[in-house]
Amino acid sequence: MFTKYKNNWLKFNLNRRCVLCSQQAISQTRICDDCLTDLPWIGNACQRCANPLSSAQLPHLICPQCQKKPPPFEQVIAPFEYRFPIDQLIQLAKFNHRPHLLNPLAELLSLQLQNTPLPELVIPVPLHPKRLQERQYNQAALLAKRIARNLDIPFSNRLLIKTDNTPHQAELDRKARRKNLRNSFQCCGSPPSSIAIVDDVMTTGTTAAEISRELKAAGCHRVYIWVIARTAKELHLY
C-alpha cells in the first residue's frame, strides 16, 4: 500500500513543470527554485501601502504620502513588483483565458501572509455582472478563494458588489480614477470587524481605498489589502 502511494506521489510531482521555464518544479507553487529567485520580489516598501522604496531608504518606513494622508485601509501586502514575468502571468491569466496561472501566484501570496495578522473574512474585488459575463471569471475571486482555503479563513463573494460598470481604471489618470469609482461598490450585509480584500494588482490604490471606505461605513473596523503585485510609484498615472 505504501509503495503504491509513494509511486503515485512521485508520478504526480515529477511531472510538474515550472510555469515559467518548463523545468521540473516539485514545490506546490509550480515555479522552480531558479525562477523563484529571479522574480521581482519587493524589498523595502512602505509599511502601509506597500509602495516599493529605493534601497537607500530605511526599512519599516511609512512613505510621505501615507504620512500626509493615511489611507482608509490598515495595510497592503504585496510580494512582487508589477514587472516581468509577474505582469505577463497576470495578463495571461486575466485576458487570455488561462486562469490556472493564478494558482502559483496565490500560493506565493499565501506563504507571504502566514506571519501577518489574519482577518475574519476574505473577499475579492468584485466585477460588475456585465464585465464578469464578458471575462467568464473574476481573477480576484479565484485568487481570494484559494488564499482563504490555504489560510483557513472564511471566503465570501457576496458581501460586496460592483453596482456600476465603470471604464477600465488603466485607461484613466489618478484624478479620473477616483471619480470613476466613486460610489460604485455596495456592501450588501453586516461585515465582520476585519476583512482582507484580494486583487491581482494595486497601482494607485484608488480601488482599495474606495472599497475600504464602503466597508468601514458599513461597520468594518480593519481592512487589509492583499495583492499579488504592486506597481512602483514612478509608474503610476497622475
Side-chain angles (χ1 to χ4, degrees), residues 171-192:
E171 302 168 358
L172 308 171
D173 61 21
R174 181 185 285 271
K175 185 177 180 180
R177 286 176 182 231
R178 294 196 199 100
K179 185 177 181 180
N180 183 46
L181 289 180
R182 193 168 297 144
N183 300 319
S184 64
F185 297 100
Q186 180 181 342
C187 185
C188 298
S190 299

Short mmCIF file of all heavy atoms in Angstrom, two decimals, residues 171-192:
data_model
loop_
_atom_site.label_atom_id
_atom_site.label_comp_id
_atom_site.label_asym_id
_atom_site.label_seq_id
_atom_site.Cartn_x
_atom_site.Cartn_y
_atom_site.Cartn_z
N GLU A 171 -7.14 52.95 -18.06
CA GLU A 171 -7.28 53.97 -19.10
C GLU A 171 -7.32 55.38 -18.53
O GLU A 171 -7.38 56.35 -19.29
CB GLU A 171 -8.57 53.70 -19.89
CG GLU A 171 -8.63 52.31 -20.53
CD GLU A 171 -10.01 51.98 -21.05
OE1 GLU A 171 -10.93 52.81 -20.88
OE2 GLU A 171 -10.17 50.89 -21.62
N LEU A 172 -7.27 55.53 -17.20
CA LEU A 172 -7.52 56.81 -16.55
C LEU A 172 -6.33 57.27 -15.72
O LEU A 172 -5.54 56.46 -15.24
CB LEU A 172 -8.76 56.70 -15.65
CG LEU A 172 -10.03 56.14 -16.31
CD1 LEU A 172 -11.10 55.90 -15.25
CD2 LEU A 172 -10.53 57.09 -17.39
N ASP A 173 -6.22 58.60 -15.51
CA ASP A 173 -5.22 59.12 -14.61
C ASP A 173 -5.75 59.06 -13.18
O ASP A 173 -6.88 58.63 -12.92
CB ASP A 173 -4.80 60.55 -14.99
CG ASP A 173 -5.95 61.55 -14.94
OD1 ASP A 173 -6.96 61.28 -14.24
OD2 ASP A 173 -5.85 62.60 -15.58
N ARG A 174 -4.91 59.47 -12.21
CA ARG A 174 -5.28 59.31 -10.79
C ARG A 174 -6.58 60.02 -10.44
O ARG A 174 -7.45 59.46 -9.78
CB ARG A 174 -4.14 59.82 -9.91
CG ARG A 174 -4.42 59.68 -8.41
CD ARG A 174 -3.32 60.31 -7.59
NE ARG A 174 -2.11 59.50 -7.59
CZ ARG A 174 -1.86 58.54 -6.70
NH1 ARG A 174 -2.75 58.26 -5.77
NH2 ARG A 174 -0.74 57.86 -6.75
N LYS A 175 -6.72 61.27 -10.86
CA LYS A 175 -7.92 62.05 -10.54
C LYS A 175 -9.16 61.41 -11.14
O LYS A 175 -10.21 61.29 -10.48
CB LYS A 175 -7.76 63.48 -11.03
CG LYS A 175 -8.91 64.39 -10.63
CD LYS A 175 -8.65 65.81 -11.08
CE LYS A 175 -9.81 66.73 -10.68
NZ LYS A 175 -9.56 68.15 -11.12
N ALA A 176 -9.05 60.97 -12.39
CA ALA A 176 -10.18 60.34 -13.06
C ALA A 176 -10.52 58.99 -12.43
O ALA A 176 -11.68 58.59 -12.42
CB ALA A 176 -9.89 60.17 -14.54
N ARG A 177 -9.52 58.29 -11.91
CA ARG A 177 -9.77 57.00 -11.25
C ARG A 177 -10.67 57.19 -10.04
O ARG A 177 -11.59 56.40 -9.81
CB ARG A 177 -8.44 56.36 -10.83
CG ARG A 177 -7.64 55.78 -11.97
CD ARG A 177 -6.30 55.27 -11.49
NE ARG A 177 -5.52 54.74 -12.62
CZ ARG A 177 -4.95 53.56 -12.64
NH1 ARG A 177 -5.08 52.75 -11.63
NH2 ARG A 177 -4.24 53.17 -13.69
N ARG A 178 -10.38 58.22 -9.25
CA ARG A 178 -11.20 58.46 -8.05
C ARG A 178 -12.65 58.74 -8.45
O ARG A 178 -13.58 58.20 -7.86
CB ARG A 178 -10.63 59.65 -7.26
CG ARG A 178 -9.27 59.42 -6.65
CD ARG A 178 -8.99 60.47 -5.60
NE ARG A 178 -7.58 60.58 -5.30
CZ ARG A 178 -6.78 61.52 -5.77
NH1 ARG A 178 -7.26 62.45 -6.59
NH2 ARG A 178 -5.50 61.55 -5.45
N LYS A 179 -12.83 59.62 -9.43
CA LYS A 179 -14.17 59.97 -9.88
C LYS A 179 -14.88 58.77 -10.48
O LYS A 179 -16.08 58.57 -10.29
CB LYS A 179 -14.09 61.12 -10.88
CG LYS A 179 -15.45 61.65 -11.33
CD LYS A 179 -15.28 62.83 -12.27
CE LYS A 179 -16.65 63.37 -12.70
NZ LYS A 179 -16.49 64.53 -13.63
N ASN A 180 -14.14 57.96 -11.21
CA ASN A 180 -14.69 56.80 -11.90
C ASN A 180 -15.30 55.79 -10.93
O ASN A 180 -16.34 55.19 -11.20
CB ASN A 180 -13.59 56.13 -12.72
CG ASN A 180 -14.08 54.96 -13.54
OD1 ASN A 180 -15.11 55.04 -14.19
ND2 ASN A 180 -13.34 53.86 -13.50
N LEU A 181 -14.64 55.58 -9.78
CA LEU A 181 -15.08 54.54 -8.85
C LEU A 181 -15.97 55.04 -7.71
O LEU A 181 -16.46 54.24 -6.93
CB LEU A 181 -13.85 53.86 -8.24
CG LEU A 181 -13.04 52.96 -9.17
CD1 LEU A 181 -11.87 52.35 -8.43
CD2 LEU A 181 -13.91 51.86 -9.76
N ARG A 182 -16.16 56.34 -7.63
CA ARG A 182 -16.92 56.89 -6.51
C ARG A 182 -18.33 56.30 -6.46
O ARG A 182 -19.07 56.31 -7.44
CB ARG A 182 -16.99 58.41 -6.63
CG ARG A 182 -17.48 59.12 -5.37
CD ARG A 182 -17.24 60.60 -5.49
NE ARG A 182 -15.82 60.91 -5.58
CZ ARG A 182 -15.32 61.89 -6.33
NH1 ARG A 182 -16.12 62.63 -7.08
NH2 ARG A 182 -14.02 62.11 -6.34
N ASN A 183 -18.66 55.72 -5.31
CA ASN A 183 -19.98 55.11 -5.06
C ASN A 183 -20.32 53.97 -6.02
O ASN A 183 -21.49 53.72 -6.30
CB ASN A 183 -21.08 56.19 -5.14
CG ASN A 183 -20.89 57.29 -4.15
OD1 ASN A 183 -20.52 57.05 -2.99
ND2 ASN A 183 -21.12 58.53 -4.55
N SER A 184 -19.29 53.30 -6.53
CA SER A 184 -19.54 52.21 -7.49
C SER A 184 -19.56 50.83 -6.83
O SER A 184 -19.84 49.83 -7.49
CB SER A 184 -18.49 52.22 -8.60
OG SER A 184 -17.20 51.95 -8.08
N PHE A 185 -19.26 50.75 -5.51
CA PHE A 185 -19.31 49.49 -4.77
C PHE A 185 -20.39 49.57 -3.70
O PHE A 185 -20.67 50.65 -3.16
CB PHE A 185 -17.96 49.18 -4.12
CG PHE A 185 -16.84 48.98 -5.09
CD1 PHE A 185 -15.94 49.99 -5.37
CD2 PHE A 185 -16.67 47.76 -5.75
CE1 PHE A 185 -14.90 49.81 -6.27
CE2 PHE A 185 -15.65 47.57 -6.65
CZ PHE A 185 -14.75 48.60 -6.91
N GLN A 186 -20.96 48.44 -3.37
CA GLN A 186 -22.00 48.41 -2.34
C GLN A 186 -21.79 47.20 -1.43
O GLN A 186 -21.62 46.07 -1.91
CB GLN A 186 -23.39 48.33 -2.97
CG GLN A 186 -24.52 48.29 -1.94
CD GLN A 186 -25.88 48.19 -2.60
OE1 GLN A 186 -26.04 48.48 -3.78
NE2 GLN A 186 -26.87 47.77 -1.84
N CYS A 187 -21.80 47.44 -0.13
CA CYS A 187 -21.74 46.36 0.86
C CYS A 187 -23.16 45.87 1.11
O CYS A 187 -24.05 46.65 1.43
CB CYS A 187 -21.10 46.87 2.15
SG CYS A 187 -20.85 45.58 3.40
N CYS A 188 -23.37 44.57 0.95
CA CYS A 188 -24.73 44.01 0.97
C CYS A 188 -25.07 43.29 2.27
O CYS A 188 -25.94 42.43 2.30
CB CYS A 188 -24.90 43.04 -0.20
SG CYS A 188 -24.71 43.82 -1.80
N GLY A 189 -24.39 43.62 3.34
CA GLY A 189 -24.69 42.98 4.61
C GLY A 189 -23.87 43.61 5.71
O GLY A 189 -23.24 44.65 5.52
N SER A 190 -23.89 42.99 6.88
CA SER A 190 -23.10 43.47 8.01
C SER A 190 -21.73 42.80 7.99
O SER A 190 -21.64 41.59 8.20
CB SER A 190 -23.82 43.16 9.33
OG SER A 190 -25.07 43.80 9.38
N PRO A 191 -20.67 43.56 7.74
CA PRO A 191 -19.35 42.94 7.64
C PRO A 191 -18.79 42.62 9.03
O PRO A 191 -19.18 43.22 10.02
CB PRO A 191 -18.51 44.04 6.97
CG PRO A 191 -19.16 45.31 7.42
CD PRO A 191 -20.63 45.01 7.49
N PRO A 192 -17.87 41.66 9.11
CA PRO A 192 -17.18 41.40 10.38
C PRO A 192 -16.23 42.55 10.69
O PRO A 192 -16.07 43.47 9.89
CB PRO A 192 -16.42 40.09 10.10
CG PRO A 192 -16.22 40.09 8.63
CD PRO A 192 -17.43 40.76 8.04
#
